[in-house]
């Protein structure tokens, strides 16, 4: 026992850690080298602690069981990384749960004996052979380098204990909102080894499934209610959900560089109406989109799972509903991709809410939009939702790397307080904003000769070195004016075709009169019901920006901060 408690079985550590190393190295190629090395060493902490416990207990059955689990997780995660650029995730578990016999058979036929699978089998077999050979020779790292091993063991066990505490803290999170805050803060260091990743995936799936089941039951109830479009003529309503769009980098909102020339042209022609005081309740895509699509109102204390999305209502009213989501979970699935897609694209939701959904996603939004144009819809009334990649990090990946689309460089950014790389990052973000403007103009043109109203808004804003050395979003509990300005203020605009303007002069007048009114994106559905001439019991005129009874109410962000109170201090 004394010898056992002073050992770590290096093979258990390697089996549980190597897939995480491989994933981190391939998923984050631009990560600083020193920080990457520290990260890779840190994620071996929990496997080392487990290995030490196995050696300390020194039970043959426990040791064999640990090896079987470690080899299985090693092989499974290698398979997923090779095929889908992803370790085990809540999304993978959900797909396994929802897969039927036919789909399972198809999966086996496609992947069981392809090149990557054979490589996985060979690496697994090689690992087993090496372990068996070395174990038979009773090789001991402790005996070879006793002092070095003792020091390494001490560090490993301390790190492993810290990692165990971080992972244990996950179980105190009881909502997706709390879990996402934890994920963005501590999970980076806690879940990249295969065992803790498995535990996290199971817990995340359980938590998400509970909320999604409530939401789906709400949708089933809503699908049985009466909704009606009072206009018998053809009508197209389009909702474009942008991503990470800072209005403060849009020339449409006064930014110094010409990042939105097409939108500005539409505004000057009288087709585009730009709203000046719109915000999002969350700076996270997951909850921003769920509350944006749901008919709930946060200011009234209503939770998104208890109110159906507007897509259900439009479909009940006879609209053909198309969901074009370029962030749909396919392949490597992040936290927010899973949280959204497991709800918006579940089999039950797809059947209840949509008539057509995309089966492909593209790295380029324009390619994605052109793909959707190939699907002709002949129904009289249509609702089309676009969820784009927009200016999602990294911005340089959101537009083609050619001369035509690389309009801005670091030299265009007049910020002497920043270094060249930081100014280049701003230029790349501005290029992505300009390319997004061009993509949106293609959608405008597609509907120009139809009776159509298009609403564009972003899920949240983004900091781009605007007042401090931060790019992206932060999650500090106390919000100040500047963080609210750049992360929570969003662009909102309504584009109307000439035909729509002629048919609905009253709505047009209401749009013009509402451009400076305060708005929060969780009230979007009620605005859409007016644009689509829909009668439904889920419509609240007090939450409709275009209704004379409109009352915005308190604009609460991140569940607790009164936006207007902070901004008016």
């Amino acid at each position: 026992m004394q010898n056992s408690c002073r050992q770590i079985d290096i093979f258990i550590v390697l089996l549980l850690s190597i897939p995480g190393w491989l994933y981190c190295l391939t998923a984050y190629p631009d990560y600083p080298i020193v920080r990457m090395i520290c990260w890779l060493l840190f994620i071996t902490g929990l496997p080392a602690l487990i290995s030490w416990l196995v050696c300390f207990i020194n039970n043959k059955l426990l040791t064999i069981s640990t090896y079987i689990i470690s080899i299985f997780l090693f092989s499974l995660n290698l398979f997923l990384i090779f095929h889908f650029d992803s370790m085990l995730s809540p999304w993978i578990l959900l797909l396994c749960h929802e897969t039927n016999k036919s789909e399972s058979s198809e999966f086996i036929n496609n992947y069981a004996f392809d090149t990557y699978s054979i490589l996985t089998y060979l690496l697994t077999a090689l690992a087993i052979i090496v372990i068996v050979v070395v174990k038979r020779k009773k090789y001991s790292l402790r005996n070879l380098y006793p002092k070095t091993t003792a020091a390494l063991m001490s560090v490993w066990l301390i790190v492993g204990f810290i990692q165990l505490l971080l992972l244990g803290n996950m179980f105190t999170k009881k909502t997706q909102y709390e879990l996402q805050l934890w994920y963005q803060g501590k999970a980076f260091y806690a879940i990249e080894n295969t065992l803790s990743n498995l535990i996290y995936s199971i817990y995340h799936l359980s938590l998400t499934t509970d909320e999604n089941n409530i939401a789906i039951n709400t949708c089933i109830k809503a699908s049985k209610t009466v909704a009606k479009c009072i206009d018998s003529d053809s009508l197209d309503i389009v909702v474009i959900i942008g991503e990470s769009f800072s209005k403060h980098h849009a020339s449409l909102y006064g930014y110094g560089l010409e990042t939105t020339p097409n939108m500005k042209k539409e505004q000057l022609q009288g087709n585009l109406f730009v709203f000046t005081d719109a915000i999002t309740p969350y700076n996270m895509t997951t909850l921003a989109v769920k509350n944006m699509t749901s008919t709930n109102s946060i200011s009234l204390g209503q939770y998104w799972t208890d109110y159906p999305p507007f897509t259900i209502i439009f479909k009940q009213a006879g609209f053909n509903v198309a969901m074009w989501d370029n962030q749909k979970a396919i392949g490597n699935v992040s936290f927010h991709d899973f949280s959204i897609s497991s709800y918006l694209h579940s089999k039950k939701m797809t059947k209840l809410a949509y008539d057509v959904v995309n089966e492909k996603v593209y790295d380029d939004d324009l390619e994605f939009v052109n793909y959707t144009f190939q699907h002709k819809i002949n129904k009289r009334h249509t609702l089309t939702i676009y969820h784009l990649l927009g200016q999602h990090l990294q911005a340089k990946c959101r537009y083609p790397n050619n001369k035509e689309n690389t309009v801005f460089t670091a030299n265009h950014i007049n910020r002497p307080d920043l270094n060249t790389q930081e100014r280049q990052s701003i230029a790349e973000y501005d290029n992505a904003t300009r390319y997004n403007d061009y993509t949106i103009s293609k959608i405008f043109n597609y509907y120009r000769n139809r009776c159509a109203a298009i609403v564009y808004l972003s899920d949240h804003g983004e900091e781009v070195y605007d007042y401090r050395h931060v790019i992206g979003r932060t999650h500090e509990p106390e919000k100040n004016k500047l963080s609210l300005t750049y992360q929570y203020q969003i662009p909102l605009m309504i584009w109307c075709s000439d035909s729509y303007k002629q048919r609905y002069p009253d709505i047009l007048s209401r749009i013009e009169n509402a451009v400076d009114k305060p708005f929060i994106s969780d009230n979007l559905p009620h605005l859409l019901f007016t644009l689509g001439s829909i009668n439904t019991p889920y419509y609240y005129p007090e939450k409709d920006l275009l209704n004379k009874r409109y009352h915005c109410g308190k604009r609460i962000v991140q569940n607790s901060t009164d936006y207007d109170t902070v901004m008016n201090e």
Side-chain angles (χ1 to χ4, degrees):
M1 181 70 72
Q2 185 177 4
N3 289 335
S4 298
C5 71
R6 294 164 55 190
Q7 293 187 55
I8 287 179
D9 191 324
I10 192 66
F11 291 114
I12 293 177
V13 177
L14 292 175
L15 288 170
L16 294 176
S17 301
I18 286 176
W21 294 350
L22 180 61
Y23 173 73
C24 293
L25 290 170
T26 55
Y28 305 98
D30 298 329
Y31 206 68
I33 295 177
V34 175
R35 291 179 64 187
M36 175 62 79
I37 293 173
C38 293
W39 184 18
L40 296 181
L41 291 175
F42 189 90
I43 63 178
T44 64
L46 187 58
L49 180 61
I50 292 168
S51 171
W52 179 83
L53 287 173
V54 170
C55 291
F56 179 79
I57 296 173
N58 197 24
N59 178 275
K60 186 174 182 180
L61 179 60
L62 176 62
T63 302
I64 293 174
S65 300
T66 303
Y67 264 103
I68 291 173
I69 294 171
S70 300
I71 291 170
F72 172 75
L73 291 176
F74 172 82
S75 182
L76 174 62
N77 281 278
L78 284 185
F79 177 89
L80 293 172
I81 291 170
F82 289 154
H83 285 93
F84 308 112
D85 299 320
S86 172
M87 291 180 68
L88 186 65
S89 68
W91 182 249
I92 299 295
L93 293 181
L94 180 64
L95 291 179
C96 293
H97 175 70
E98 293 186 344
T99 299
N100 55 41
K101 291 182 179 180
S102 175
E103 291 169 333
S104 298
S105 177
E106 182 180 349
F107 180 87
I108 292 172
N109 290 334
N110 288 335
Y111 294 106
F113 298 104
D114 66 3
T115 303
Y116 286 131
S117 296
I118 292 174
L119 177 60
T120 301
Y121 305 150
L122 290 175
L123 289 174
T124 304
L126 178 62
I128 294 172
I129 292 171
V130 170
I131 291 169
V132 170
V133 170
V134 173
K135 286 289 183 182
R136 283 184 174 178
K137 292 186 176 181
K138 297 183 178 180
Y139 173 81
S140 174
L141 182 63
R142 178 178 61 86
N143 295 330
L144 189 61
Y145 301 107
K147 292 184 178 180
T148 302
T149 303
L152 181 60
M153 281 180 57
S154 299
V155 173
W156 254 350
L157 294 181
I158 292 172
V159 171
F161 184 72
I162 294 172
Q163 203 176 19
L164 184 63
L165 291 178
L166 293 177
L167 185 65
N169 183 249
M170 175 184 70
F171 294 100
T172 67
K173 314 308 173 187
K174 303 303 180 184
T175 68
Q176 287 192 53
Y177 171 69
E178 293 176 346
L179 187 60
Q180 183 159 358
L181 287 179
W182 174 85
Y183 179 86
Q184 292 169 328
K186 298 182 175 64
F188 195 70
Y189 301 101
I191 66 170
E192 296 300 351
N193 63 72
T194 60
L195 184 61
S196 56
N197 187 61
L198 172 64
I199 296 170
Y200 157 76
S201 298
I202 294 173
Y203 185 70
H204 187 181
L205 177 60
S206 173
L207 199 62
T208 301
T209 299
D210 290 341
E211 285 199 348
N212 286 352
N213 286 339
I214 296 172
I216 292 297
N217 289 333
T218 298
C219 292
I220 292 173
K221 179 181 177 181
S223 68
K224 299 174 182 178
T225 61
V226 176
K228 183 179 180 181
C229 178
I230 61 177
D231 193 333
S232 59
D233 292 331
S234 61
L235 178 61
D236 299 302
I237 302 298
V238 182
V239 180
I240 307 173
I241 303 173
E243 170 68 51
S244 304
F245 191 144
S246 170
K247 61 183 284 186
H248 304 285
H249 283 257
S251 52
L252 193 66
Y253 284 93
Y255 186 59
L257 299 180
E258 197 64 54
T259 55
T260 53
N262 293 289
M263 291 181 183
K264 188 65 178 178
K265 180 180 177 181
E266 296 292 336
Q267 184 186 37
L268 293 174
Q269 291 176 344
N271 293 99
L272 186 69
F273 303 89
V274 181
F275 293 77
T276 62
D277 192 10
I279 69 168
T280 176
Y282 296 99
N283 66 347
M284 312 169 183
T285 300
T286 304
L287 291 170
V289 172
K290 285 178 177 177
N291 284 276
M292 183 190 303
T293 54
S294 173
T295 50
N296 72 311
S297 177
I298 293 174
S299 68
L300 297 178
Q302 298 169 344
Y303 197 60
W304 70 270
T305 59
D306 301 324
Y307 293 82
F310 63 81
T311 48
I312 295 278
I313 310 304
F314 271 86
K315 189 173 182 182
Q316 284 300 105
F319 279 71
N320 182 283
V321 180
M323 170 59 86
W324 303 124
D325 188 351
N326 204 23
Q327 295 193 40
K328 183 178 180 180
I330 295 175
N332 186 11
V333 179
S334 67
F335 184 107
H336 73 264
D337 289 334
F338 166 72
S339 294
I340 294 176
S341 290
S342 62
Y343 168 61
L344 291 183
H345 299 293
S346 67
K347 291 182 178 180
K348 291 181 180 179
M349 176 61 80
T350 299
K351 184 177 180 180
L352 288 168
Y354 321 124
D355 294 286
V356 59
V357 296
N358 58 294
E359 299 298 333
K360 299 179 180 180
V361 295
Y362 292 79
D363 292 333
D364 185 308
D365 275 338
L366 183 58
E367 288 185 30
F368 177 70
V369 167
N370 288 331
Y371 154 77
T372 69
F373 290 162
Q374 299 172 15
H375 297 76
K376 303 297 182 182
I377 299 175
N378 299 318
K379 203 164 184 179
R380 186 180 299 274
H381 295 155
T382 69
L383 169 68
T384 304
I385 302 101
Y386 284 99
H387 185 200
L388 303 179
L389 290 170
Q391 291 94 300
H392 197 290
L393 285 174
Q394 294 184 4
K396 66 181 180 181
C397 301
R398 302 296 160 237
Y399 58 93
N401 184 21
N402 54 38
K403 185 176 180 180
E404 180 183 0
N405 293 290
T406 307
V407 178
F408 309 113
T409 66
N411 293 331
H412 292 91
I413 309 302
N414 185 21
R415 289 287 302 278
D417 57 309
L418 301 178
N419 61 40
T420 301
Q421 181 55 53
E422 290 167 337
R423 288 186 284 112
Q424 179 61 30
S425 294
I426 296 175
E428 290 165 356
Y429 183 87
D430 292 346
N431 285 327
T433 302
R434 188 179 175 97
Y435 190 69
N436 179 73
D437 170 77
Y438 179 67
T439 301
I440 302 308
S441 72
K442 293 298 182 181
I443 299 177
F444 291 161
N445 290 335
Y446 183 80
Y447 288 95
R448 193 172 300 278
N449 297 320
R450 304 168 67 132
C451 183
I454 301 176
V455 178
Y456 179 92
L457 75 170
S458 183
D459 56 353
H460 49 72
E462 193 88 345
E463 283 192 36
V464 195
Y465 300 118
D466 296 289
Y467 70 97
R468 57 179 175 172
H469 286 248
V470 169
I471 186 166
R473 283 154 284 127
T474 57
H475 304 284
E476 61 273 352
E478 296 296 326
K479 311 299 178 186
N480 58 44
K481 289 183 180 181
L482 289 172
S483 66
L484 290 175
T485 295
Y486 292 102
Q487 296 187 37
Y488 293 86
Q489 290 182 2
I490 59 173
L492 170 67
M493 55 202 79
I494 299 177
W495 181 92
C496 299
S497 68
D498 291 338
S499 177
Y500 189 93
K501 291 164 62 179
Q502 293 170 7
R503 189 190 299 180
Y504 303 104
D506 177 59
I507 293 179
L508 189 70
S509 176
R510 286 190 266 169
I511 292 174
E512 292 173 332
N513 292 330
V515 292
D516 293 320
K517 292 181 179 180
F519 179 79
I520 187 166
S521 60
D522 68 301
N523 289 330
L524 173 67
H526 310 290
L527 180 156
L528 297 177
F529 294 149
T530 290
L531 293 177
S533 300
I534 288 180
N535 284 338
T536 170
Y538 289 99
Y539 171 69
Y540 294 91
E542 295 83 3
K543 296 303 173 185
D544 174 13
L545 183 62
L546 305 181
N547 193 289
K548 62 182 180 181
R549 294 166 57 186
Y550 174 68
H551 175 65
C552 184
K554 286 187 177 182
R555 294 192 285 181
I556 305 298
V557 302
Q558 297 298 132
N559 290 357
S560 59
T561 300
D562 188 323
Y563 170 86
D564 293 295
T565 297
V566 175
M567 297 302 288
N568 292 329
E569 286 177 349

